[in-house]
Amino acid sequence: MRGTFQSFVFAGLLVASSLAAPSPNTHVLHEKRSGKPHLWTKRARAHPEDLLPIRIGLTQQNLHNAEQYVQDIADPRSPNFGKHWSAEQVANTFAPARDTIAKVTNWLADSGIGSHRISHSTGRNWVQFNASIAEAEHLFSTEYFVYEHDREGGYRIACDEYHLPRDVREHVDFAMPTIQLDGLRPIAQAHPKRVYETSATGLSDATNCSELITIDCLRALYNFGKPNFTDPSNVMGIAEWSDYLYDPDLPIFFSNFTDPVIPNNTFPEFISIDGGKPSNLTVAQAQEVVESALDFQTAYSIIYPQGLRLYQMGDSVNVDSVGTFNIFLDALDASYCTPDPNEGGYKGPLQCGGAPISNVFSFSYNQIEGALPEFYQRRQCQEWMKLGLQGVSVLFASGDSGVANRYNAGYQNSCLNENDLYVDENGTRYSPSFPDNCPYVTVVGGTDLIDGTVAGGERAVAEPNATNPKLDFYSGGGFSNIFEVPDYQKDAVSNYLSQYAPDYGPNVYNNSGTSRAYPDVAAIGNNLATVYLGRAIGVGGTSASTPIVASIVTLLNDLRTQAGKGPLGFLNPIFYANPQAFNDITNGSNPGCGSGGFPAAPGWDPVTGLGTPNFEKLRDVVLALP
């Protein structure tokens, strides 16, 4: 969802004084922001003649069956396992009902927004039009204000709550721009959680893993070998926001840290989305390339000769890890595509469908559940579900601040208020991540070596900072306050809560046993060999763990291709049905928000999930599937 926010006088539009206010008996509350906006200051009422690009998300059909649909093609016990849907089947199944489209357009017409002003997205999931502030206030029975960001100085127009007619509300997911502030603003991309200097200059088998985690260490830890197969249909995808792959570092990494040595003319396929551009030396010197270097160098060392695809985001608003993932989803799926009402957004031709879809996607970014509206999160989660139906594996990093979810958020403290669940600098309630909380993605936590050796095994990553606790590094994990526990995870979550969970009470985390929990799995997340501006460094974070697991899934897909089978698609039902295919991590925890977080424990836990992958065991599992 992309676009621009325009603020100018539009002659001829009705102003507030000429619009009759909706009857309070006809409108009911639809969304209300919880708590005081963090880092945003309300300045003044918005001018009634300023224009807003209004976008209304229509409710879709058959979403109540979504989990059933996904389980049918992703559960390894299902007779329909692997029978993935086409994009057309997905679009037709979830398209809004005719009655929904009619109800909303009739309401708009009755409110003075005629059909000549309205357009629909490709899948008719969105209604969009420009309206004055006065018209928007009339439509939503609300008041719009100008908000200024306390640090960045940018502005947003938003309301504190909005209302919809009683007979329309059930047909609308949410409207924009309304209450959205946090999570949509542009901030600088933070660097990966840990960067270490190293004296290592190349591979040394798996004998020096305490100094630097190289491909030798990864092969020894996770039991995979050197691949020799490539399939153009199985190119792995990695997406980057406000971080850019610096190509000159790749040949240096290949020469020193790959085995067999990758040819120095190897580069990923470049997919520019909304003006995404390649890196250059200036960007590299500003350290806006380390995340991308970590992602791509790690993945290449595991999957080559299989290829990689770089999806480079270019929108100037949604380019950081607390910005939305909508511009990426738009580029894959035209039915989801519609402009995003953010000031300063990309103004060139919008990518609306048409980007190639990889079988496996790795994302090293996330957001804060408590900073985003619930309707917004549910709507986007449905899009990840649709990718799963089409046979796509989507993996996200769990975050690097334990239960505090502070990494890349721009907040001093992103823990939650214990009563109202909004981001609160003095909060003590654990803060889940989005879209990690979505049950249709696979979330990857972080581990470290217990004693610096592969033989010593792994523990949950733990790097407390003695001088600044806000820089502590722990594997993100926890329990959603929005999404329900999926069937594939119920037994694992119940086992942890009944046997190992700390007794902090319901004001610290959602201990009901009915909510989505994460991470799902884990991998080493500290001191990964990376080349930056020609020198070797060690880089850490769950943003290191995620491309490792995504790469291993890509290798598994390669094996299935050679066996004449399709891609794995949505992974979680397979993983939870086969916990024996993972190395169980039972040491460590992920403290934050003033308490001890969750302890790692036998079986699944909200620190390292099911554990780290054992490739040979996973190979046997996936090759036995149809």
Side-chain angles (χ1 to χ4, degrees), residues 561-584:
T561 298
Q562 294 176 71
K565 301 181 179 185
L568 291 168
F570 180 47
L571 301 167
N572 291 3
I574 304 170
F575 287 175
Y576 281 87
N578 293 279
Q580 78 285 352
F582 294 86
N583 308 309
D584 195 8

Side-chain angles (χ1 to χ4, degrees), residues 14 17 45 95 111 130 166 217 287 299 320 421 461 478 506 517 521 566 593:
L14 296 175
S17 59
R45 280 289 299 275
S111 301
N130 288 339
R166 292 180 186 274
C217 304
Q287 299 186 36
D320 54 84
L421 307 186
V461 67
V521 295
C593 300

Side-chain angles (χ1 to χ4, degrees), residues 112-171:
I113 310 295
S115 60
H116 64 286
R117 293 173 58 184
I118 296 173
S119 63
H120 295 264
S121 63
T122 302
R124 303 188 72 81
N125 299 327
W126 298 86
V127 173
Q128 51 207 39
F129 54 92
N130 288 339
S132 68
I133 295 290
E135 288 179 304
E137 291 185 341
H138 172 75
L139 275 175
F140 301 130
S141 187
T142 190
E143 294 180 342
Y144 278 90
F145 293 85
V146 175
Y147 287 83
E148 182 179 9
H149 193 262
D150 296 340
R151 292 181 183 172
E152 306 297 328
Y155 293 91
R156 289 283 184 273
I157 289 181
C159 57
D160 297 329
E161 63 183 41
Y162 66 100
H163 304 74
L164 295 173
R166 292 180 186 274
D167 61 342
V168 171
R169 186 175 187 268
E170 66 180 292
H171 299 285

Side-chain angles (χ1 to χ4, degrees), residues 106-393:
N106 289 340
W107 161 55
L108 294 175
D110 292 343
S111 301
I113 310 295
S115 60
H116 64 286
R117 293 173 58 184
I118 296 173
S119 63
H120 295 264
S121 63
T122 302
R124 303 188 72 81
N125 299 327
W126 298 86
V127 173
Q128 51 207 39
F129 54 92
N130 288 339
S132 68
I133 295 290
E135 288 179 304
E137 291 185 341
H138 172 75
L139 275 175
F140 301 130
S141 187
T142 190
E143 294 180 342
Y144 278 90
F145 293 85
V146 175
Y147 287 83
E148 182 179 9
H149 193 262
D150 296 340
R151 292 181 183 172
E152 306 297 328
Y155 293 91
R156 289 283 184 273
I157 289 181
C159 57
D160 297 329
E161 63 183 41
Y162 66 100
H163 304 74
L164 295 173
R166 292 180 186 274
D167 61 342
V168 171
R169 186 175 187 268
E170 66 180 292
H171 299 285
V172 172
D173 277 344
F174 67 97
M176 298 177 70
T178 50
I179 65 173
Q180 301 85 7
L181 282 173
D182 294 320
L184 298 180
R185 64 180 179 82
I187 64 167
Q189 167 67 35
H191 307 310
K193 196 64 178 179
R194 289 288 186 274
V195 177
Y196 309 87
E197 297 297 329
T198 179
S199 59
T201 57
L203 299 178
S204 56
D205 298 319
T207 60
N208 198 29
C209 299
S210 60
E211 172 73 13
L212 200 64
I213 298 293
T214 65
I215 184 61
D216 291 332
C217 304
L218 295 176
R219 286 173 178 155
L221 279 168
Y222 304 135
N223 216 15
F224 63 91
K226 302 175 184 179
N228 57 9
F229 179 79
T230 181
D231 174 15
S233 70
N234 195 34
V235 175
M236 176 178 153
I238 299 176
E240 302 290 352
W241 282 259
S242 195
D243 197 274
Y244 308 88
L245 182 65
Y246 187 54
D247 286 348
D249 282 334
L250 284 178
I252 301 171
F253 178 84
F254 294 158
S255 297
N256 291 276
F257 292 105
T258 63
D259 177 26
V261 175
I262 298 175
N264 62 13
N265 62 346
T266 302
F267 300 99
E269 178 185 357
F270 187 82
I271 307 298
S272 173
I273 297 177
D274 288 7
K277 297 179 180 179
S279 182
N280 55 51
L281 181 59
T282 300
V283 171
Q285 290 173 335
Q287 299 186 36
E288 294 176 353
V289 299
V290 178
E291 179 63 66
S292 298
L294 171 66
D295 291 342
F296 280 87
Q297 293 171 20
T298 298
Y300 263 129
S301 73
I302 296 172
I303 70 170
Y304 185 84
Q306 187 53 270
L308 284 169
R309 189 174 281 144
L310 166 57
Y311 296 80
Q312 184 65 61
M313 309 303 142
D315 191 298
S316 62
V317 169
N318 297 313
V319 292
D320 54 84
S321 68
V322 297
T324 69
F325 297 100
N326 286 322
I327 59 172
F328 171 80
L329 290 166
D330 289 342
L332 301 186
D333 181 6
S335 71
Y336 182 66
C337 193
T338 186
D340 190 4
N342 280 339
E343 182 179 6
Y346 172 66
K347 297 178 176 62
L350 300 175
Q351 179 109 22
C352 193
I357 300 180
S358 296
N359 289 334
V360 179
F361 282 109
S362 177
F363 296 92
S364 294
Y365 306 83
N366 52 39
Q367 302 171 261
I368 300 174
E369 181 184 87
L372 291 167
E374 178 176 341
F375 283 111
Y376 175 88
Q377 294 181 64
R378 289 192 178 277
R379 180 74 176 223
Q380 195 176 101
C381 180
Q382 294 158 8
E383 299 308 309
W384 302 118
M385 176 271 295
K386 293 175 185 178
L387 285 177
L389 282 174
Q390 296 173 73
V392 177
S393 304

Side-chain angles (χ1 to χ4, degrees), residues 151 193-194 400-401 404-408 411-414 425 463-474:
R151 292 181 183 172
K193 196 64 178 179
R194 289 288 186 274
D400 299 341
S401 300
N405 189 13
R406 189 177 299 109
Y407 176 43
N408 254 14
Y411 295 126
Q412 292 297 309
N413 184 351
S414 57
E425 285 193 356
E463 289 240 346
N465 188 293
T467 59
N468 186 357
K470 294 172 185 175
L471 298 179
D472 289 349
F473 176 22
Y474 297 102

Side-chain angles (χ1 to χ4, degrees), residues 362-605:
S362 177
F363 296 92
S364 294
Y365 306 83
N366 52 39
Q367 302 171 261
I368 300 174
E369 181 184 87
L372 291 167
E374 178 176 341
F375 283 111
Y376 175 88
Q377 294 181 64
R378 289 192 178 277
R379 180 74 176 223
Q380 195 176 101
C381 180
Q382 294 158 8
E383 299 308 309
W384 302 118
M385 176 271 295
K386 293 175 185 178
L387 285 177
L389 282 174
Q390 296 173 73
V392 177
S393 304
V394 178
L395 296 93
F396 275 91
S398 72
D400 299 341
S401 300
V403 295
N405 189 13
R406 189 177 299 109
Y407 176 43
N408 254 14
Y411 295 126
Q412 292 297 309
N413 184 351
S414 57
C415 301
L416 304 180
N417 180 279
E418 66 176 39
N419 296 315
D420 296 323
L421 307 186
Y422 61 86
V423 177
D424 183 352
E425 285 193 356
N426 299 312
T428 56
R429 187 182 178 95
Y430 296 167
S431 180
S433 296
F434 172 77
D436 296 347
N437 56 358
C438 173
Y440 302 113
V441 302
T442 300
V443 183
V444 185
T447 64
D448 199 358
L449 297 177
I450 292 176
D451 62 4
T453 69
V454 171
E458 297 170 83
R459 64 184 176 193
V461 67
E463 289 240 346
N465 188 293
T467 59
N468 186 357
K470 294 172 185 175
L471 298 179
D472 289 349
F473 176 22
Y474 297 102
S475 178
F479 298 82
S480 173
N481 295 309
I482 291 178
F483 291 96
E484 300 77 17
V485 62
D487 282 344
Y488 64 76
Q489 194 187 42
K490 283 182 178 177
D491 289 345
V493 170
S494 176
N495 178 69
Y496 182 82
L497 289 175
S498 63
Q499 296 194 54
Y500 306 110
D503 186 20
Y504 297 138
N507 289 334
V508 174
Y509 71 97
N510 187 345
N511 64 355
S512 64
T514 61
S515 68
R516 158 69 166 151
Y518 70 96
D520 300 298
V521 295
I524 198 82
N526 215 6
N527 219 14
L528 270 289
T530 307
V531 170
Y532 165 62
L533 287 181
R535 78 179 195 275
I537 56 175
V539 181
T542 54
S543 55
S545 312
T546 308
I548 292 173
V549 177
S551 296
I552 289 174
V553 173
T554 298
L555 295 182
L556 294 172
N557 277 340
D558 280 341
L559 293 176
R560 285 180 57 83
T561 298
Q562 294 176 71
K565 301 181 179 185
L568 291 168
F570 180 47
L571 301 167
N572 291 3
I574 304 170
F575 287 175
Y576 281 87
N578 293 279
Q580 78 285 352
F582 294 86
N583 308 309
D584 195 8
I585 309 299
T586 58
N587 294 331
S589 61
N590 56 356
C593 300
S595 55
F598 301 106
W604 178 89
D605 58 66

